[in-house]
Amino acid sequence: MSKLYFKFGAMASSKTANALMTRFNYEEKGNHVWLIKPDLDNRDDYLDENGNRVTVVKSRIGLSAVADVIRQDENLLERFETLRAAAPVDVIICDECQFLTGEQVDQMKYIAEYCDTPVLCFGLRSDFQTKLFPGSQRLFEIADSITEIKSVCRCGKKAIVNARLNERGQVITEGEQVCIGGNDKYEGMCWGCWQDRIKRGL
Ligand SMILES: [Zn+2]
């Protein structure tokens, strides 16, 4: 039996860097890592010379790696078993795991429990309205190990809100749950600063 891990943090808390360093550590010891990422976040994808889309896990500090993309309607257990029939898989690392469906998190739990393969999920806890993402909710419910990757607000307190910013840098609280963007569109903040900026229209 292996474990399902959830390592969560706010925007810009080095989640992806942590995921890639974890991958490096496993590979350095000769383990085969299956690096995956849900297809909702495709901001770093590119087309190779044959026109095929390549999905990339990319950290702000410069680390990056090619990953397998996971569609919303895909069964992770089936995909894992197909892959493992062809090549060894010792550990699964998922970046942006908040975009997994609840069913896919259940499939990961099954893989950890019954296929003896650890599954490490890195992602956000909540959206720009402080509501849990579906994947994160299910991970809080059934992960064996839950760890916070901490980061700080500009004021020095711990950042817990992923504030969404408009093009003028003002905090916005209306819109779709998923709106992919990088450092210019989101900022990790403490609750107090988030509320203060909403009230003052900043
Ligand atoms: Zn603050």
Side-chain angles (χ1 to χ4, degrees):
M1 185 196 121
S2 294
K3 285 183 181 171
L4 172 61
Y5 298 83
F6 181 28
K7 296 171 188 288
F8 72 91
M11 289 296 286
S13 60
S14 313
K15 293 181 302 303
T16 297
N18 268 278
L20 292 173
M21 286 188 288
T22 304
R23 172 179 177 262
F24 177 82
N25 288 335
Y26 271 104
E27 289 191 336
E28 200 181 27
K29 296 185 184 87
N31 292 292
H32 297 86
V33 178
W34 185 30
L35 183 65
I36 58 174
K37 182 178 170 179
D39 69 351
L40 278 179
D41 182 358
N42 54 12
R43 65 192 135 138
D44 296 316
D45 289 7
Y46 64 90
L47 297 177
D48 68 13
E49 62 272 20
N50 300 316
N52 298 315
R53 192 175 124 194
V54 179
T55 293
V56 176
V57 170
K58 191 173 175 186
S59 158
R60 288 168 307 124
I61 63 167
L63 299 172
S64 69
V66 172
D68 276 346
V69 71
I70 302 296
R71 294 190 322 270
Q72 291 264 295
D73 61 354
E74 203 156 20
N75 183 315
L76 268 171
L77 179 59
E78 286 174 8
R79 179 102 180 248
F80 168 76
E81 285 178 336
T82 304
L83 184 68
R84 200 169 57 155
V89 180
D90 300 313
V91 56
I92 300 174
I93 296 178
C94 179
D95 194 29
E96 306 288 357
C97 63
Q98 70 273 10
F99 296 139
L100 293 168
T101 66
E103 290 78 16
Q104 288 172 331
V105 175
D106 281 7
Q107 291 153 10
M108 286 182 153
K109 178 72 176 165
Y110 186 97
I111 291 169
E113 185 80 29
Y114 299 111
C115 307
D116 201 22
T117 304
V119 183
L120 290 80
C121 295
F122 294 79
L124 297 172
R125 169 162 64 174
S126 55
D127 64 19
F128 75 112
Q129 294 172 323
T130 70
K131 301 291 193 297
L132 291 173
F133 283 99
S136 312
Q137 180 184 338
R138 195 64 186 135
L139 280 159
F140 275 120
E141 289 165 349
I142 64 171
D144 299 289
S145 164
I146 297 172
T147 322
E148 183 170 18
I149 301 171
K150 296 189 177 101
S151 60
V152 290
C153 177
R154 289 188 198 198
C155 74
K157 286 189 189 163
K158 189 172 81 173
I160 61 160
V161 180
N162 298 305
R164 186 181 290 172
L165 310 176
N166 66 15
E167 58 285 351
R168 284 174 293 175
Q170 296 164 311
V171 174
I172 49 175
T173 54
E174 299 294 326
E176 297 291 313
Q177 183 179 49
V178 178
C179 179
I180 303 301
N183 288 345
D184 54 335
K185 226 176 213 174
Y186 292 96
E187 185 176 330
M189 293 180 195
C190 73
W191 184 271
C193 288
W194 181 62
Q195 286 291 315
D196 184 56
R197 283 185 58 172
I198 292 168
K199 282 191 196 111
R200 294 163 60 198
L202 296 172

